[in-house]
Amino acid sequence: MAYKVSVVSLGCPKNQVDAEMILASLSKAGLEITSAEAEADAIIINTCGFIEDAKKEAIENILEAAAYKDNGNLKALIVTGCLAERYKDDITEEIPEVDLVVGIGSNPKIADLTVSAIEGKAKNSFGPKEDLDLNAERILGGYPFSAYLKISDGCDNCCTYCAIPKIRGRLRSRKIEDVLAEAKKLAENGVSELIVVGQDTTAYGEDLYGESKLPELLSELCKIEKLHWIRTLYTYPERITDELLEVISKNKKLVKYLDMPLQHADGEILKRMNRKGNRESLTALVQKIREKIPEITLRTTFITGFPGETDEQFCSLHEFIKEVRFDRLGCFTYSAEEDTAAALFENQIAEQTKQDRMELIMADQMTIAAEKNEEKIGSVVEVLIEGFDDYIKCYFGRSAADAPEIDGKVFFTSDVPLVIGDYVYVLVNDCLEYDLLGEKTDEPTQ
């Protein structure tokens, strides 16, 4: 009888892709995949270790899973992912409930390692980061009609607050033909929405081809007939070129949505983050994007309380946000991460000050988001149907302006039964702060 294994994935979409590769590796080896953790012989926790909150979440999940050793069938608790790569043998020393720690470079061997752990022969394994196979097979863990497409791993940007280059290594892009082959396979298997991800998608190809190949890749993806929406996340502001904007503008399958984490708007803070630009250049960039693609939805993220951030610098950021009025915005307090340059900077900011600044930005952004949603009342939006809510008796899904997990939803009624995974048009007749409400309607005439 095959051993049963449950996989828990935490963190970002890039981590989800890794988890889907783990699922495929386990299945190929003859192990039985189960979502019932109490029945599992082994539980694999694919962790995030990017910031302090992610580490806490990972540890909580590890300890919760460990309880199944007493009240379940669990014989092996396995930790992989960024936390495993970052802290290696520290995990088994500090969390003795963990039986096996697997670095990302050893993920291709995780099936054999899992069996060894179940049979009591566990030995931590950390292969070179480059051994992580970016072209490995996957078993999708989410909706069958929407999938992430990871085009690269690692990062060369070396922002002073970020541990990703130490955890994941240098930029490693996949060959264009390999990415296209996977995209075509996903489309043939029913995926209609592709979400392109990487640590910095705009750097894609620089290591292989000497220049960014994201515009070329997106153009080629648009030729795949069965794809309906293609969305790009994690674009770096200084690499958003006129060529990229032109490609997004002219290709119907590329949703008019750009995720562009800016992190700050003050020039001095950005310089200390090892990032480029200032308030003036970023304002000009946003203006150019909106001029070239008037219907664009812009998402960004910011960090409050970076070391040395003065009241004046925070106020400049705050005013920038109110002036630019991003469609989507996330804000995080600065987390001093081990082995990063910024953790050693002087003038670290008090936690309460970081929190107060973050809450002020998010309160204003809620108002901006609500106002932007109110402007959509009376319009018709295309929606990818994700499900039906039995409690409120309506369908829900996402518009082209909404990325999964991080953005809002569209809730709508329909006089006829609909198919999950289909695209329909919805007349917006009301809204909440982040969500739209409406009813199914006919496709608008052009």
Side-chain angles (χ1 to χ4, degrees), residues 162-179:
C162 183
I164 289 298
K166 291 183 181 293
I167 298 171
R168 309 293 301 200
R170 300 202 62 178
L171 173 67
R172 189 159 61 100
S173 301
R174 300 172 63 189
K175 294 179 180 178
I176 288 180
E177 52 267 34
D178 291 336
V179 177

PDB file of all heavy atoms in Angstrom, residues 162-179:
ATOM      1  N   CYS A 162      16.145  42.820   1.379  1.00  0.00           N
ATOM      2  CA  CYS A 162      15.607  41.563   0.875  1.00  0.00           C
ATOM      3  C   CYS A 162      16.618  40.422   0.949  1.00  0.00           C
ATOM      4  O   CYS A 162      17.770  40.565   0.528  1.00  0.00           O
ATOM      5  CB  CYS A 162      15.141  41.749  -0.570  1.00  0.00           C
ATOM      6  SG  CYS A 162      14.384  40.281  -1.287  1.00  0.00           S
ATOM      7  N   ALA A 163      16.152  39.271   1.456  1.00  0.00           N
ATOM      8  CA  ALA A 163      17.012  38.099   1.589  1.00  0.00           C
ATOM      9  C   ALA A 163      16.868  37.124   0.423  1.00  0.00           C
ATOM     10  O   ALA A 163      17.539  36.084   0.401  1.00  0.00           O
ATOM     11  CB  ALA A 163      16.693  37.379   2.898  1.00  0.00           C
ATOM     12  N   ILE A 164      16.013  37.439  -0.539  1.00  0.00           N
ATOM     13  CA  ILE A 164      15.726  36.494  -1.620  1.00  0.00           C
ATOM     14  C   ILE A 164      16.985  36.059  -2.389  1.00  0.00           C
ATOM     15  O   ILE A 164      17.160  34.865  -2.672  1.00  0.00           O
ATOM     16  CB  ILE A 164      14.671  37.074  -2.581  1.00  0.00           C
ATOM     17  CG1 ILE A 164      13.303  37.102  -1.893  1.00  0.00           C
ATOM     18  CG2 ILE A 164      14.581  36.262  -3.870  1.00  0.00           C
ATOM     19  CD1 ILE A 164      12.760  35.744  -1.495  1.00  0.00           C
ATOM     20  N   PRO A 165      17.899  36.966  -2.760  1.00  0.00           N
ATOM     21  CA  PRO A 165      19.093  36.493  -3.474  1.00  0.00           C
ATOM     22  C   PRO A 165      19.899  35.466  -2.674  1.00  0.00           C
ATOM     23  O   PRO A 165      20.482  34.543  -3.252  1.00  0.00           O
ATOM     24  CB  PRO A 165      19.898  37.779  -3.707  1.00  0.00           C
ATOM     25  CG  PRO A 165      18.860  38.851  -3.752  1.00  0.00           C
ATOM     26  CD  PRO A 165      17.855  38.445  -2.707  1.00  0.00           C
ATOM     27  N   LYS A 166      19.930  35.609  -1.346  1.00  0.00           N
ATOM     28  CA  LYS A 166      20.640  34.640  -0.515  1.00  0.00           C
ATOM     29  C   LYS A 166      19.874  33.321  -0.431  1.00  0.00           C
ATOM     30  O   LYS A 166      20.460  32.249  -0.360  1.00  0.00           O
ATOM     31  CB  LYS A 166      20.860  35.215   0.888  1.00  0.00           C
ATOM     32  CG  LYS A 166      21.849  36.375   0.923  1.00  0.00           C
ATOM     33  CD  LYS A 166      22.067  36.853   2.332  1.00  0.00           C
ATOM     34  CE  LYS A 166      23.048  38.028   2.367  1.00  0.00           C
ATOM     35  NZ  LYS A 166      24.403  37.644   1.970  1.00  0.00           N
ATOM     36  N   ILE A 167      18.550  33.427  -0.447  1.00  0.00           N
ATOM     37  CA  ILE A 167      17.726  32.223  -0.322  1.00  0.00           C
ATOM     38  C   ILE A 167      17.628  31.482  -1.650  1.00  0.00           C
ATOM     39  O   ILE A 167      17.821  30.262  -1.722  1.00  0.00           O
ATOM     40  CB  ILE A 167      16.313  32.584   0.177  1.00  0.00           C
ATOM     41  CG1 ILE A 167      16.374  33.214   1.577  1.00  0.00           C
ATOM     42  CG2 ILE A 167      15.406  31.348   0.185  1.00  0.00           C
ATOM     43  CD1 ILE A 167      15.050  33.791   2.039  1.00  0.00           C
ATOM     44  N   ARG A 168      17.313  32.218  -2.716  1.00  0.00           N
ATOM     45  CA  ARG A 168      17.020  31.581  -3.999  1.00  0.00           C
ATOM     46  C   ARG A 168      18.177  31.643  -4.999  1.00  0.00           C
ATOM     47  O   ARG A 168      18.111  31.012  -6.056  1.00  0.00           O
ATOM     48  CB  ARG A 168      15.798  32.245  -4.648  1.00  0.00           C
ATOM     49  CG  ARG A 168      14.575  32.363  -3.777  1.00  0.00           C
ATOM     50  CD  ARG A 168      13.925  31.055  -3.405  1.00  0.00           C
ATOM     51  NE  ARG A 168      13.474  30.241  -4.498  1.00  0.00           N
ATOM     52  CZ  ARG A 168      12.562  29.269  -4.361  1.00  0.00           C
ATOM     53  NH1 ARG A 168      12.000  29.035  -3.183  1.00  0.00           N
ATOM     54  NH2 ARG A 168      12.221  28.520  -5.382  1.00  0.00           N
ATOM     55  N   GLY A 169      19.188  32.450  -4.691  1.00  0.00           N
ATOM     56  CA  GLY A 169      20.324  32.538  -5.599  1.00  0.00           C
ATOM     57  C   GLY A 169      20.157  33.627  -6.650  1.00  0.00           C
ATOM     58  O   GLY A 169      19.241  34.453  -6.592  1.00  0.00           O
ATOM     59  N   ARG A 170      21.039  33.635  -7.610  1.00  0.00           N
ATOM     60  CA  ARG A 170      21.038  34.635  -8.672  1.00  0.00           C
ATOM     61  C   ARG A 170      19.931  34.338  -9.679  1.00  0.00           C
ATOM     62  O   ARG A 170      19.369  33.238  -9.728  1.00  0.00           O
ATOM     63  CB  ARG A 170      22.391  34.667  -9.369  1.00  0.00           C
ATOM     64  CG  ARG A 170      23.553  35.012  -8.436  1.00  0.00           C
ATOM     65  CD  ARG A 170      24.724  35.552  -9.210  1.00  0.00           C
ATOM     66  NE  ARG A 170      24.378  36.792  -9.901  1.00  0.00           N
ATOM     67  CZ  ARG A 170      25.246  37.505 -10.625  1.00  0.00           C
ATOM     68  NH1 ARG A 170      26.489  37.091 -10.764  1.00  0.00           N
ATOM     69  NH2 ARG A 170      24.865  38.608 -11.228  1.00  0.00           N
ATOM     70  N   LEU A 171      19.635  35.332 -10.513  1.00  0.00           N
ATOM     71  CA  LEU A 171      18.615  35.182 -11.541  1.00  0.00           C
ATOM     72  C   LEU A 171      18.919  33.981 -12.427  1.00  0.00           C
ATOM     73  O   LEU A 171      20.033  33.818 -12.918  1.00  0.00           O
ATOM     74  CB  LEU A 171      18.551  36.451 -12.397  1.00  0.00           C
ATOM     75  CG  LEU A 171      17.646  36.382 -13.635  1.00  0.00           C
ATOM     76  CD1 LEU A 171      16.177  36.267 -13.220  1.00  0.00           C
ATOM     77  CD2 LEU A 171      17.850  37.612 -14.518  1.00  0.00           C
ATOM     78  N   ARG A 172      17.899  33.159 -12.610  1.00  0.00           N
ATOM     79  CA  ARG A 172      18.030  31.992 -13.486  1.00  0.00           C
ATOM     80  C   ARG A 172      16.759  31.899 -14.318  1.00  0.00           C
ATOM     81  O   ARG A 172      15.720  31.443 -13.846  1.00  0.00           O
ATOM     82  CB  ARG A 172      18.246  30.736 -12.653  1.00  0.00           C
ATOM     83  CG  ARG A 172      18.609  29.508 -13.460  1.00  0.00           C
ATOM     84  CD  ARG A 172      19.303  28.466 -12.585  1.00  0.00           C
ATOM     85  NE  ARG A 172      18.471  28.009 -11.494  1.00  0.00           N
ATOM     86  CZ  ARG A 172      17.785  26.854 -11.504  1.00  0.00           C
ATOM     87  NH1 ARG A 172      17.825  26.068 -12.566  1.00  0.00           N
ATOM     88  NH2 ARG A 172      17.074  26.487 -10.467  1.00  0.00           N
ATOM     89  N   SER A 173      16.844  32.348 -15.563  1.00  0.00           N
ATOM     90  CA  SER A 173      15.681  32.362 -16.454  1.00  0.00           C
ATOM     91  C   SER A 173      15.532  31.036 -17.172  1.00  0.00           C
ATOM     92  O   SER A 173      16.521  30.358 -17.482  1.00  0.00           O
ATOM     93  CB  SER A 173      15.818  33.479 -17.494  1.00  0.00           C
ATOM     94  OG  SER A 173      15.937  34.743 -16.889  1.00  0.00           O
ATOM     95  N   ARG A 174      14.300  30.680 -17.450  1.00  0.00           N
ATOM     96  CA  ARG A 174      14.031  29.516 -18.284  1.00  0.00           C
ATOM     97  C   ARG A 174      14.142  29.922 -19.758  1.00  0.00           C
ATOM     98  O   ARG A 174      13.901  31.087 -20.115  1.00  0.00           O
ATOM     99  CB  ARG A 174      12.627  28.989 -18.012  1.00  0.00           C
ATOM    100  CG  ARG A 174      12.399  28.568 -16.585  1.00  0.00           C
ATOM    101  CD  ARG A 174      10.934  28.246 -16.332  1.00  0.00           C
ATOM    102  NE  ARG A 174      10.481  27.114 -17.135  1.00  0.00           N
ATOM    103  CZ  ARG A 174       9.210  26.749 -17.236  1.00  0.00           C
ATOM    104  NH1 ARG A 174       8.261  27.436 -16.603  1.00  0.00           N
ATOM    105  NH2 ARG A 174       8.868  25.708 -17.975  1.00  0.00           N
ATOM    106  N   LYS A 175      14.483  28.991 -20.620  1.00  0.00           N
ATOM    107  CA  LYS A 175      14.525  29.277 -22.045  1.00  0.00           C
ATOM    108  C   LYS A 175      13.110  29.577 -22.549  1.00  0.00           C
ATOM    109  O   LYS A 175      12.134  28.998 -22.072  1.00  0.00           O
ATOM    110  CB  LYS A 175      15.107  28.097 -22.817  1.00  0.00           C
ATOM    111  CG  LYS A 175      16.576  27.821 -22.517  1.00  0.00           C
ATOM    112  CD  LYS A 175      17.070  26.616 -23.308  1.00  0.00           C
ATOM    113  CE  LYS A 175      18.528  26.327 -23.009  1.00  0.00           C
ATOM    114  NZ  LYS A 175      19.017  25.131 -23.741  1.00  0.00           N
ATOM    115  N   ILE A 176      13.021  30.486 -23.510  1.00  0.00           N
ATOM    116  CA  ILE A 176      11.716  30.868 -24.056  1.00  0.00           C
ATOM    117  C   ILE A 176      10.954  29.640 -24.539  1.00  0.00           C
ATOM    118  O   ILE A 176       9.753  29.489 -24.278  1.00  0.00           O
ATOM    119  CB  ILE A 176      11.884  31.891 -25.196  1.00  0.00           C
ATOM    120  CG1 ILE A 176      12.313  33.243 -24.628  1.00  0.00           C
ATOM    121  CG2 ILE A 176      10.578  32.048 -25.989  1.00  0.00           C
ATOM    122  CD1 ILE A 176      12.515  34.330 -25.665  1.00  0.00           C
ATOM    123  N   GLU A 177      11.649  28.733 -25.238  1.00  0.00           N
ATOM    124  CA  GLU A 177      10.953  27.569 -25.786  1.00  0.00           C
ATOM    125  C   GLU A 177      10.408  26.665 -24.681  1.00  0.00           C
ATOM    126  O   GLU A 177       9.347  26.044 -24.845  1.00  0.00           O
ATOM    127  CB  GLU A 177      11.868  26.766 -26.718  1.00  0.00           C
ATOM    128  CG  GLU A 177      13.213  26.383 -26.141  1.00  0.00           C
ATOM    129  CD  GLU A 177      14.322  27.368 -26.453  1.00  0.00           C
ATOM    130  OE1 GLU A 177      14.043  28.585 -26.526  1.00  0.00           O
ATOM    131  OE2 GLU A 177      15.471  26.907 -26.637  1.00  0.00           O
ATOM    132  N   ASP A 178      11.100  26.611 -23.541  1.00  0.00           N
ATOM    133  CA  ASP A 178      10.617  25.796 -22.418  1.00  0.00           C
ATOM    134  C   ASP A 178       9.372  26.424 -21.782  1.00  0.00           C
ATOM    135  O   ASP A 178       8.426  25.716 -21.424  1.00  0.00           O
ATOM    136  CB  ASP A 178      11.710  25.627 -21.367  1.00  0.00           C
ATOM    137  CG  ASP A 178      12.863  24.750 -21.849  1.00  0.00           C
ATOM    138  OD1 ASP A 178      12.642  23.938 -22.757  1.00  0.00           O
ATOM    139  OD2 ASP A 178      13.982  24.904 -21.319  1.00  0.00           O
ATOM    140  N   VAL A 179       9.397  27.729 -21.631  1.00  0.00           N
ATOM    141  CA  VAL A 179       8.233  28.424 -21.064  1.00  0.00           C
ATOM    142  C   VAL A 179       7.021  28.253 -21.972  1.00  0.00           C
ATOM    143  O   VAL A 179       5.908  27.957 -21.516  1.00  0.00           O
ATOM    144  CB  VAL A 179       8.540  29.919 -20.857  1.00  0.00           C
ATOM    145  CG1 VAL A 179       7.301  30.647 -20.326  1.00  0.00           C
ATOM    146  CG2 VAL A 179       9.698  30.115 -19.883  1.00  0.00           C
TER     147      VAL A 179
END
